[in-house]
Amino acid sequence: MRLFRFFGRLFFPEICCICGEVKVPVLDKGKISFNSGKNIIESPFCEDCTKRMEESFYKAHPDLRKTGSPSVYLFGFSDETVQRSIYHLKTHNCAACRRFFAKLCGEVMKDMLLEMNGEVFLTNIPRSVSLFDKYGFDQSEEVLRTFVRLDSSFSYCKLIERDKRYKAPQRMLNAQERLINARRSLKLVDNAEVPKNIIVLDDMITTGATATTARDLLINRGATDVRFLFIAGAENFKERRNKNE
């Protein structure tokens, strides 16, 4: 069996999905780990990219100003390694990346849970109609569903959806245009029973327009404690506008 694995890794080496380099040398039997400061998580990236991700890790970084609710993001988007990992998640729906982000999100959601009273439900901000049509999946929903499979004590419910009449994605819009686009494209799922306590996941926060709109929709329908978790936060809006989504 060991000989089979050796030749398997020799002819079919694991490749880092961020930089394209061989993830683990053939003669190296160890696994690459990401240290979140709380747990050691197996990394789907090479050692160099994993180290860069650790350096960019913003566990429980507050971002209250943009959403109006307690909010955190895990990584700063200015780092190129983070940009590539988010791009890989959004365009390839990579199972290894999805599991990696689900575990990190899970750590922070459990911390959030300690500050919330009563049962807490998880939901996500849906992908734009045009990008969903292009790629066929919603990356934030996929991450949440992966986490719920890992930890059945959490419940996922789909509360927010996109109005299919409005397909424009948020990229390349200024802050005011993003707010207008979010307000007309986001809506609650028909006949949705909105719980009191909700954690909302999205992959990115830039200006907070989409999150603010989602928060208002949920609060107006009866939610009392709405919190946000983002995989990455854009520190520089002008720089973010020039990145492809």
Side-chain angles (χ1 to χ4, degrees):
M1 182 61 71
R2 291 181 179 178
L3 187 62
F4 176 79
R5 289 177 180 173
F6 174 82
F7 283 106
R9 292 173 63 184
L10 179 64
F11 293 104
F12 303 99
E14 293 183 83
I15 304 298
C16 175
C17 59
I18 293 180
C19 66
E21 298 295 327
V22 174
K23 179 183 170 186
V24 181
V26 175
L27 298 178
D28 186 354
K29 298 180 181 180
K31 293 183 178 180
I32 299 171
S33 298
F34 179 96
N35 187 350
S36 70
K38 189 173 184 179
N39 289 306
I40 303 297
I41 299 172
E42 185 177 345
S43 171
F45 314 123
C46 70
E47 188 172 358
D48 288 342
C49 288
T50 299
K51 188 175 296 184
R52 290 283 298 274
M53 295 287 282
E54 282 184 346
E55 292 171 354
S56 301
F57 190 50
Y58 284 63
K59 185 172 180 184
H61 183 90
D63 197 6
L64 306 181
R65 179 177 58 84
K66 290 183 179 180
T67 68
S69 288
S71 308
V72 299
Y73 60 83
L74 302 184
F75 298 95
F77 191 76
S78 60
D79 184 84
E80 185 177 357
T81 304
V82 175
Q83 293 172 16
R84 289 181 177 179
S85 66
I86 296 294
Y87 176 81
H88 197 72
L89 176 70
K90 296 174 74 165
T91 59
H92 293 80
N93 196 20
C94 170
C97 292
R98 200 168 64 237
R99 188 178 179 89
F100 171 75
F101 286 123
K103 288 182 177 180
L104 287 180
C105 288
E107 285 192 3
V108 178
M109 287 189 289
K110 289 175 183 177
D111 290 341
M112 287 180 166
L113 191 64
L114 298 176
E115 303 173 356
M116 304 174 78
N117 296 317
E119 187 176 8
V120 177
F121 290 82
L122 310 179
T123 194
N124 67 288
I125 296 177
R127 193 171 206 171
S128 69
V129 175
S130 61
L131 291 177
F132 185 87
D133 289 345
K134 180 178 180 180
Y135 294 108
F137 66 92
D138 186 317
Q139 67 277 5
S140 297
E141 181 177 344
E142 292 289 335
V143 169
L144 272 187
R145 290 189 181 279
T146 299
F147 170 67
V148 170
R149 285 194 292 270
L150 295 172
D151 189 337
S152 58
S153 64
F154 282 80
S155 299
Y156 169 79
C157 55
K158 191 173 183 64
L159 297 174
I160 307 169
E161 63 182 2
R162 295 279 183 176
D163 189 325
K164 293 184 179 180
R165 295 175 297 175
Y166 304 104
K167 295 190 174 184
Q170 294 286 69
R171 68 173 183 265
M172 302 308 294
L173 301 179
N174 62 36
Q176 185 61 31
E177 291 169 340
R178 282 172 176 254
L179 184 59
I180 294 172
N181 188 49
R183 285 178 175 172
R184 69 181 184 179
S185 66
L186 287 181
K187 63 178 184 177
L188 292 179
V189 173
D190 290 342
N191 301 318
E193 294 185 11
V194 176
K196 297 293 184 182
N197 304 306
I198 307 169
I199 297 176
V200 184
L201 177 71
D202 199 6
D203 63 332
M204 278 291 306
I205 179 170
T206 305
T207 65
T210 304
T212 300
T213 301
R215 175 187 178 275
D216 291 344
L217 287 171
L218 295 169
I219 293 292
N220 291 337
R221 186 66 73 85
T224 56
D225 192 348
V226 178
R227 305 189 179 213
F228 290 89
L229 172 61
F230 306 94
I231 295 176
E235 301 95 327
N236 187 322
F237 176 52
K238 291 183 179 179
E239 176 186 359
R240 176 71 187 99
R241 288 181 63 192
N242 294 325
K243 298 294 182 183
N244 292 325
E245 293 189 15

PDB file of all heavy atoms in Angstrom, residues 125-153:
ATOM      1  N   ILE A 125     -25.912  35.334   1.919  1.00  0.00           N
ATOM      2  CA  ILE A 125     -26.307  36.288   0.891  1.00  0.00           C
ATOM      3  C   ILE A 125     -26.093  35.613  -0.457  1.00  0.00           C
ATOM      4  O   ILE A 125     -24.987  35.154  -0.756  1.00  0.00           O
ATOM      5  CB  ILE A 125     -25.482  37.577   0.987  1.00  0.00           C
ATOM      6  CG1 ILE A 125     -25.777  38.282   2.314  1.00  0.00           C
ATOM      7  CG2 ILE A 125     -25.779  38.498  -0.193  1.00  0.00           C
ATOM      8  CD1 ILE A 125     -24.962  39.530   2.549  1.00  0.00           C
ATOM      9  N   PRO A 126     -27.133  35.502  -1.275  1.00  0.00           N
ATOM     10  CA  PRO A 126     -27.000  34.745  -2.527  1.00  0.00           C
ATOM     11  C   PRO A 126     -26.142  35.455  -3.571  1.00  0.00           C
ATOM     12  O   PRO A 126     -26.017  36.675  -3.580  1.00  0.00           O
ATOM     13  CB  PRO A 126     -28.462  34.630  -3.007  1.00  0.00           C
ATOM     14  CG  PRO A 126     -29.139  35.820  -2.420  1.00  0.00           C
ATOM     15  CD  PRO A 126     -28.492  36.042  -1.084  1.00  0.00           C
ATOM     16  N   ARG A 127     -25.590  34.659  -4.436  1.00  0.00           N
ATOM     17  CA  ARG A 127     -24.783  35.144  -5.544  1.00  0.00           C
ATOM     18  C   ARG A 127     -25.667  35.881  -6.554  1.00  0.00           C
ATOM     19  O   ARG A 127     -26.860  35.610  -6.655  1.00  0.00           O
ATOM     20  CB  ARG A 127     -24.125  33.942  -6.220  1.00  0.00           C
ATOM     21  CG  ARG A 127     -23.018  34.273  -7.182  1.00  0.00           C
ATOM     22  CD  ARG A 127     -22.297  33.024  -7.610  1.00  0.00           C
ATOM     23  NE  ARG A 127     -20.931  33.334  -8.008  1.00  0.00           N
ATOM     24  CZ  ARG A 127     -20.007  32.442  -8.272  1.00  0.00           C
ATOM     25  NH1 ARG A 127     -20.293  31.159  -8.174  1.00  0.00           N
ATOM     26  NH2 ARG A 127     -18.793  32.802  -8.624  1.00  0.00           N
ATOM     27  N   SER A 128     -25.078  36.812  -7.299  1.00  0.00           N
ATOM     28  CA  SER A 128     -25.848  37.513  -8.320  1.00  0.00           C
ATOM     29  C   SER A 128     -26.376  36.515  -9.350  1.00  0.00           C
ATOM     30  O   SER A 128     -25.784  35.463  -9.572  1.00  0.00           O
ATOM     31  CB  SER A 128     -24.989  38.570  -9.016  1.00  0.00           C
ATOM     32  OG  SER A 128     -23.992  37.960  -9.819  1.00  0.00           O
ATOM     33  N   VAL A 129     -27.495  36.858  -9.966  1.00  0.00           N
ATOM     34  CA  VAL A 129     -28.134  35.962 -10.934  1.00  0.00           C
ATOM     35  C   VAL A 129     -27.195  35.652 -12.092  1.00  0.00           C
ATOM     36  O   VAL A 129     -27.075  34.500 -12.531  1.00  0.00           O
ATOM     37  CB  VAL A 129     -29.452  36.574 -11.451  1.00  0.00           C
ATOM     38  CG1 VAL A 129     -30.055  35.701 -12.557  1.00  0.00           C
ATOM     39  CG2 VAL A 129     -30.449  36.739 -10.307  1.00  0.00           C
ATOM     40  N   SER A 130     -26.509  36.669 -12.592  1.00  0.00           N
ATOM     41  CA  SER A 130     -25.634  36.468 -13.753  1.00  0.00           C
ATOM     42  C   SER A 130     -24.481  35.523 -13.439  1.00  0.00           C
ATOM     43  O   SER A 130     -24.129  34.658 -14.242  1.00  0.00           O
ATOM     44  CB  SER A 130     -25.095  37.807 -14.256  1.00  0.00           C
ATOM     45  OG  SER A 130     -24.331  38.445 -13.249  1.00  0.00           O
ATOM     46  N   LEU A 131     -23.888  35.663 -12.243  1.00  0.00           N
ATOM     47  CA  LEU A 131     -22.768  34.794 -11.876  1.00  0.00           C
ATOM     48  C   LEU A 131     -23.240  33.386 -11.527  1.00  0.00           C
ATOM     49  O   LEU A 131     -22.544  32.411 -11.801  1.00  0.00           O
ATOM     50  CB  LEU A 131     -21.980  35.400 -10.719  1.00  0.00           C
ATOM     51  CG  LEU A 131     -21.205  36.673 -11.062  1.00  0.00           C
ATOM     52  CD1 LEU A 131     -20.516  37.233  -9.823  1.00  0.00           C
ATOM     53  CD2 LEU A 131     -20.188  36.424 -12.160  1.00  0.00           C
ATOM     54  N   PHE A 132     -24.444  33.273 -10.946  1.00  0.00           N
ATOM     55  CA  PHE A 132     -24.981  31.936 -10.689  1.00  0.00           C
ATOM     56  C   PHE A 132     -25.257  31.220 -12.009  1.00  0.00           C
ATOM     57  O   PHE A 132     -24.969  30.026 -12.160  1.00  0.00           O
ATOM     58  CB  PHE A 132     -26.263  32.014  -9.855  1.00  0.00           C
ATOM     59  CG  PHE A 132     -26.798  30.658  -9.470  1.00  0.00           C
ATOM     60  CD1 PHE A 132     -26.352  30.029  -8.317  1.00  0.00           C
ATOM     61  CD2 PHE A 132     -27.716  29.999 -10.267  1.00  0.00           C
ATOM     62  CE1 PHE A 132     -26.827  28.771  -7.961  1.00  0.00           C
ATOM     63  CE2 PHE A 132     -28.193  28.743  -9.924  1.00  0.00           C
ATOM     64  CZ  PHE A 132     -27.747  28.125  -8.770  1.00  0.00           C
ATOM     65  N   ASP A 133     -25.812  31.949 -12.972  1.00  0.00           N
ATOM     66  CA  ASP A 133     -26.069  31.347 -14.286  1.00  0.00           C
ATOM     67  C   ASP A 133     -24.765  30.925 -14.959  1.00  0.00           C
ATOM     68  O   ASP A 133     -24.718  29.906 -15.664  1.00  0.00           O
ATOM     69  CB  ASP A 133     -26.815  32.339 -15.181  1.00  0.00           C
ATOM     70  CG  ASP A 133     -28.251  32.566 -14.743  1.00  0.00           C
ATOM     71  OD1 ASP A 133     -28.764  31.757 -13.942  1.00  0.00           O
ATOM     72  OD2 ASP A 133     -28.860  33.561 -15.189  1.00  0.00           O
ATOM     73  N   LYS A 134     -23.717  31.692 -14.738  1.00  0.00           N
ATOM     74  CA  LYS A 134     -22.434  31.401 -15.376  1.00  0.00           C
ATOM     75  C   LYS A 134     -21.752  30.178 -14.773  1.00  0.00           C
ATOM     76  O   LYS A 134     -21.244  29.312 -15.505  1.00  0.00           O
ATOM     77  CB  LYS A 134     -21.507  32.612 -15.259  1.00  0.00           C
ATOM     78  CG  LYS A 134     -20.140  32.412 -15.887  1.00  0.00           C
ATOM     79  CD  LYS A 134     -19.297  33.682 -15.777  1.00  0.00           C
ATOM     80  CE  LYS A 134     -17.926  33.482 -16.414  1.00  0.00           C
ATOM     81  NZ  LYS A 134     -17.100  34.730 -16.318  1.00  0.00           N
ATOM     82  N   TYR A 135     -21.752  30.087 -13.425  1.00  0.00           N
ATOM     83  CA  TYR A 135     -20.993  29.033 -12.758  1.00  0.00           C
ATOM     84  C   TYR A 135     -21.859  27.884 -12.240  1.00  0.00           C
ATOM     85  O   TYR A 135     -21.357  26.790 -11.999  1.00  0.00           O
ATOM     86  CB  TYR A 135     -20.185  29.627 -11.600  1.00  0.00           C
ATOM     87  CG  TYR A 135     -19.109  30.577 -12.061  1.00  0.00           C
ATOM     88  CD1 TYR A 135     -19.229  31.953 -11.857  1.00  0.00           C
ATOM     89  CD2 TYR A 135     -17.973  30.113 -12.717  1.00  0.00           C
ATOM     90  CE1 TYR A 135     -18.239  32.832 -12.287  1.00  0.00           C
ATOM     91  CE2 TYR A 135     -16.977  30.989 -13.147  1.00  0.00           C
ATOM     92  CZ  TYR A 135     -17.123  32.343 -12.927  1.00  0.00           C
ATOM     93  OH  TYR A 135     -16.149  33.208 -13.353  1.00  0.00           O
ATOM     94  N   GLY A 136     -23.131  28.134 -12.021  1.00  0.00           N
ATOM     95  CA  GLY A 136     -24.035  27.061 -11.629  1.00  0.00           C
ATOM     96  C   GLY A 136     -24.031  26.705 -10.154  1.00  0.00           C
ATOM     97  O   GLY A 136     -24.561  25.656  -9.770  1.00  0.00           O
ATOM     98  N   PHE A 137     -23.442  27.531  -9.303  1.00  0.00           N
ATOM     99  CA  PHE A 137     -23.448  27.269  -7.870  1.00  0.00           C
ATOM    100  C   PHE A 137     -23.285  28.577  -7.110  1.00  0.00           C
ATOM    101  O   PHE A 137     -22.866  29.592  -7.668  1.00  0.00           O
ATOM    102  CB  PHE A 137     -22.340  26.286  -7.473  1.00  0.00           C
ATOM    103  CG  PHE A 137     -20.943  26.824  -7.670  1.00  0.00           C
ATOM    104  CD1 PHE A 137     -20.279  27.483  -6.640  1.00  0.00           C
ATOM    105  CD2 PHE A 137     -20.292  26.672  -8.889  1.00  0.00           C
ATOM    106  CE1 PHE A 137     -18.996  27.986  -6.824  1.00  0.00           C
ATOM    107  CE2 PHE A 137     -19.010  27.172  -9.084  1.00  0.00           C
ATOM    108  CZ  PHE A 137     -18.361  27.830  -8.052  1.00  0.00           C
ATOM    109  N   ASP A 138     -23.635  28.535  -5.828  1.00  0.00           N
ATOM    110  CA  ASP A 138     -23.486  29.678  -4.940  1.00  0.00           C
ATOM    111  C   ASP A 138     -22.418  29.329  -3.905  1.00  0.00           C
ATOM    112  O   ASP A 138     -22.625  28.461  -3.060  1.00  0.00           O
ATOM    113  CB  ASP A 138     -24.819  29.993  -4.253  1.00  0.00           C
ATOM    114  CG  ASP A 138     -24.772  31.268  -3.421  1.00  0.00           C
ATOM    115  OD1 ASP A 138     -23.771  31.473  -2.711  1.00  0.00           O
ATOM    116  OD2 ASP A 138     -25.740  32.049  -3.491  1.00  0.00           O
ATOM    117  N   GLN A 139     -21.267  29.972  -3.977  1.00  0.00           N
ATOM    118  CA  GLN A 139     -20.125  29.579  -3.158  1.00  0.00           C
ATOM    119  C   GLN A 139     -20.389  29.742  -1.659  1.00  0.00           C
ATOM    120  O   GLN A 139     -19.958  28.897  -0.853  1.00  0.00           O
ATOM    121  CB  GLN A 139     -18.861  30.360  -3.559  1.00  0.00           C
ATOM    122  CG  GLN A 139     -18.894  31.849  -3.283  1.00  0.00           C
ATOM    123  CD  GLN A 139     -19.593  32.632  -4.365  1.00  0.00           C
ATOM    124  OE1 GLN A 139     -20.147  32.073  -5.303  1.00  0.00           O
ATOM    125  NE2 GLN A 139     -19.540  33.954  -4.262  1.00  0.00           N
ATOM    126  N   SER A 140     -21.096  30.775  -1.251  1.00  0.00           N
ATOM    127  CA  SER A 140     -21.363  30.968   0.176  1.00  0.00           C
ATOM    128  C   SER A 140     -22.306  29.892   0.712  1.00  0.00           C
ATOM    129  O   SER A 140     -22.113  29.370   1.818  1.00  0.00           O
ATOM    130  CB  SER A 140     -21.967  32.360   0.416  1.00  0.00           C
ATOM    131  OG  SER A 140     -21.059  33.373   0.048  1.00  0.00           O
ATOM    132  N   GLU A 141     -23.320  29.564  -0.069  1.00  0.00           N
ATOM    133  CA  GLU A 141     -24.228  28.500   0.337  1.00  0.00           C
ATOM    134  C   GLU A 141     -23.500  27.166   0.416  1.00  0.00           C
ATOM    135  O   GLU A 141     -23.726  26.370   1.339  1.00  0.00           O
ATOM    136  CB  GLU A 141     -25.395  28.398  -0.643  1.00  0.00           C
ATOM    137  CG  GLU A 141     -26.405  27.320  -0.285  1.00  0.00           C
ATOM    138  CD  GLU A 141     -27.593  27.275  -1.226  1.00  0.00           C
ATOM    139  OE1 GLU A 141     -27.804  28.244  -1.982  1.00  0.00           O
ATOM    140  OE2 GLU A 141     -28.326  26.259  -1.204  1.00  0.00           O
ATOM    141  N   GLU A 142     -22.598  26.917  -0.535  1.00  0.00           N
ATOM    142  CA  GLU A 142     -21.842  25.661  -0.539  1.00  0.00           C
ATOM    143  C   GLU A 142     -20.967  25.549   0.709  1.00  0.00           C
ATOM    144  O   GLU A 142     -20.845  24.481   1.312  1.00  0.00           O
ATOM    145  CB  GLU A 142     -20.987  25.571  -1.800  1.00  0.00           C
ATOM    146  CG  GLU A 142     -21.770  25.425  -3.090  1.00  0.00           C
ATOM    147  CD  GLU A 142     -22.424  24.067  -3.226  1.00  0.00           C
ATOM    148  OE1 GLU A 142     -21.932  23.106  -2.611  1.00  0.00           O
ATOM    149  OE2 GLU A 142     -23.437  23.967  -3.936  1.00  0.00           O
ATOM    150  N   VAL A 143     -20.335  26.659   1.113  1.00  0.00           N
ATOM    151  CA  VAL A 143     -19.496  26.648   2.314  1.00  0.00           C
ATOM    152  C   VAL A 143     -20.347  26.364   3.544  1.00  0.00           C
ATOM    153  O   VAL A 143     -19.977  25.551   4.403  1.00  0.00           O
ATOM    154  CB  VAL A 143     -18.743  27.990   2.469  1.00  0.00           C
ATOM    155  CG1 VAL A 143     -18.086  28.083   3.846  1.00  0.00           C
ATOM    156  CG2 VAL A 143     -17.681  28.132   1.391  1.00  0.00           C
ATOM    157  N   LEU A 144     -21.508  27.026   3.651  1.00  0.00           N
ATOM    158  CA  LEU A 144     -22.381  26.808   4.805  1.00  0.00           C
ATOM    159  C   LEU A 144     -22.891  25.379   4.872  1.00  0.00           C
ATOM    160  O   LEU A 144     -22.915  24.759   5.937  1.00  0.00           O
ATOM    161  CB  LEU A 144     -23.569  27.768   4.758  1.00  0.00           C
ATOM    162  CG  LEU A 144     -23.392  29.138   5.410  1.00  0.00           C
ATOM    163  CD1 LEU A 144     -24.704  29.889   5.416  1.00  0.00           C
ATOM    164  CD2 LEU A 144     -22.841  29.017   6.824  1.00  0.00           C
ATOM    165  N   ARG A 145     -23.321  24.846   3.746  1.00  0.00           N
ATOM    166  CA  ARG A 145     -23.836  23.478   3.728  1.00  0.00           C
ATOM    167  C   ARG A 145     -22.735  22.484   4.100  1.00  0.00           C
ATOM    168  O   ARG A 145     -22.989  21.475   4.761  1.00  0.00           O
ATOM    169  CB  ARG A 145     -24.448  23.150   2.365  1.00  0.00           C
ATOM    170  CG  ARG A 145     -25.760  23.891   2.093  1.00  0.00           C
ATOM    171  CD  ARG A 145     -26.431  23.375   0.839  1.00  0.00           C
ATOM    172  NE  ARG A 145     -27.668  24.077   0.536  1.00  0.00           N
ATOM    173  CZ  ARG A 145     -28.846  23.817   1.110  1.00  0.00           C
ATOM    174  NH1 ARG A 145     -28.925  22.867   2.033  1.00  0.00           N
ATOM    175  NH2 ARG A 145     -29.926  24.496   0.778  1.00  0.00           N
ATOM    176  N   THR A 146     -21.509  22.763   3.675  1.00  0.00           N
ATOM    177  CA  THR A 146     -20.386  21.907   4.051  1.00  0.00           C
ATOM    178  C   THR A 146     -20.169  21.948   5.552  1.00  0.00           C
ATOM    179  O   THR A 146     -19.944  20.906   6.194  1.00  0.00           O
ATOM    180  CB  THR A 146     -19.108  22.352   3.321  1.00  0.00           C
ATOM    181  OG1 THR A 146     -19.299  22.237   1.905  1.00  0.00           O
ATOM    182  CG2 THR A 146     -17.916  21.495   3.724  1.00  0.00           C
ATOM    183  N   PHE A 147     -20.244  23.134   6.136  1.00  0.00           N
ATOM    184  CA  PHE A 147     -20.056  23.255   7.582  1.00  0.00           C
ATOM    185  C   PHE A 147     -21.161  22.535   8.351  1.00  0.00           C
ATOM    186  O   PHE A 147     -20.891  21.847   9.340  1.00  0.00           O
ATOM    187  CB  PHE A 147     -20.028  24.724   8.004  1.00  0.00           C
ATOM    188  CG  PHE A 147     -20.073  24.908   9.493  1.00  0.00           C
ATOM    189  CD1 PHE A 147     -19.011  24.497  10.286  1.00  0.00           C
ATOM    190  CD2 PHE A 147     -21.188  25.452  10.109  1.00  0.00           C
ATOM    191  CE1 PHE A 147     -19.060  24.625  11.673  1.00  0.00           C
ATOM    192  CE2 PHE A 147     -21.245  25.591  11.484  1.00  0.00           C
ATOM    193  CZ  PHE A 147     -20.178  25.183  12.264  1.00  0.00           C
ATOM    194  N   VAL A 148     -22.406  22.677   7.913  1.00  0.00           N
ATOM    195  CA  VAL A 148     -23.525  22.021   8.596  1.00  0.00           C
ATOM    196  C   VAL A 148     -23.374  20.500   8.544  1.00  0.00           C
ATOM    197  O   VAL A 148     -23.738  19.791   9.490  1.00  0.00           O
ATOM    198  CB  VAL A 148     -24.875  22.467   7.988  1.00  0.00           C
ATOM    199  CG1 VAL A 148     -26.030  21.623   8.505  1.00  0.00           C
ATOM    200  CG2 VAL A 148     -25.129  23.944   8.295  1.00  0.00           C
ATOM    201  N   ARG A 149     -22.808  19.991   7.438  1.00  0.00           N
ATOM    202  CA  ARG A 149     -22.550  18.547   7.369  1.00  0.00           C
ATOM    203  C   ARG A 149     -21.472  18.137   8.368  1.00  0.00           C
ATOM    204  O   ARG A 149     -21.489  17.011   8.883  1.00  0.00           O
ATOM    205  CB  ARG A 149     -22.145  18.146   5.947  1.00  0.00           C
ATOM    206  CG  ARG A 149     -23.312  18.123   4.959  1.00  0.00           C
ATOM    207  CD  ARG A 149     -22.931  17.403   3.683  1.00  0.00           C
ATOM    208  NE  ARG A 149     -21.945  18.134   2.911  1.00  0.00           N
ATOM    209  CZ  ARG A 149     -22.241  19.021   1.976  1.00  0.00           C
ATOM    210  NH1 ARG A 149     -23.503  19.288   1.689  1.00  0.00           N
ATOM    211  NH2 ARG A 149     -21.285  19.639   1.305  1.00  0.00           N
ATOM    212  N   LEU A 150     -20.529  19.055   8.643  1.00  0.00           N
ATOM    213  CA  LEU A 150     -19.470  18.764   9.605  1.00  0.00           C
ATOM    214  C   LEU A 150     -19.951  18.914  11.041  1.00  0.00           C
ATOM    215  O   LEU A 150     -19.445  18.249  11.951  1.00  0.00           O
ATOM    216  CB  LEU A 150     -18.274  19.696   9.370  1.00  0.00           C
ATOM    217  CG  LEU A 150     -17.526  19.546   8.041  1.00  0.00           C
ATOM    218  CD1 LEU A 150     -16.502  20.654   7.891  1.00  0.00           C
ATOM    219  CD2 LEU A 150     -16.858  18.184   7.949  1.00  0.00           C
ATOM    220  N   ASP A 151     -20.921  19.803  11.262  1.00  0.00           N
ATOM    221  CA  ASP A 151     -21.426  20.069  12.607  1.00  0.00           C
ATOM    222  C   ASP A 151     -22.947  20.174  12.550  1.00  0.00           C
ATOM    223  O   ASP A 151     -23.497  21.228  12.237  1.00  0.00           O
ATOM    224  CB  ASP A 151     -20.817  21.364  13.154  1.00  0.00           C
ATOM    225  CG  ASP A 151     -21.132  21.575  14.627  1.00  0.00           C
ATOM    226  OD1 ASP A 151     -22.123  21.003  15.117  1.00  0.00           O
ATOM    227  OD2 ASP A 151     -20.386  22.319  15.286  1.00  0.00           O
ATOM    228  N   SER A 152     -23.619  19.097  12.860  1.00  0.00           N
ATOM    229  CA  SER A 152     -25.073  19.029  12.746  1.00  0.00           C
ATOM    230  C   SER A 152     -25.801  19.817  13.825  1.00  0.00           C
ATOM    231  O   SER A 152     -27.030  19.906  13.813  1.00  0.00           O
ATOM    232  CB  SER A 152     -25.536  17.570  12.786  1.00  0.00           C
ATOM    233  OG  SER A 152     -25.112  16.953  13.996  1.00  0.00           O
ATOM    234  N   SER A 153     -25.075  20.419  14.779  1.00  0.00           N
ATOM    235  CA  SER A 153     -25.725  21.232  15.806  1.00  0.00           C
ATOM    236  C   SER A 153     -26.185  22.575  15.251  1.00  0.00           C
ATOM    237  O   SER A 153     -26.960  23.288  15.898  1.00  0.00           O
ATOM    238  CB  SER A 153     -24.778  21.452  16.993  1.00  0.00           C
ATOM    239  OG  SER A 153     -23.643  22.207  16.602  1.00  0.00           O
TER     240      SER A 153
END
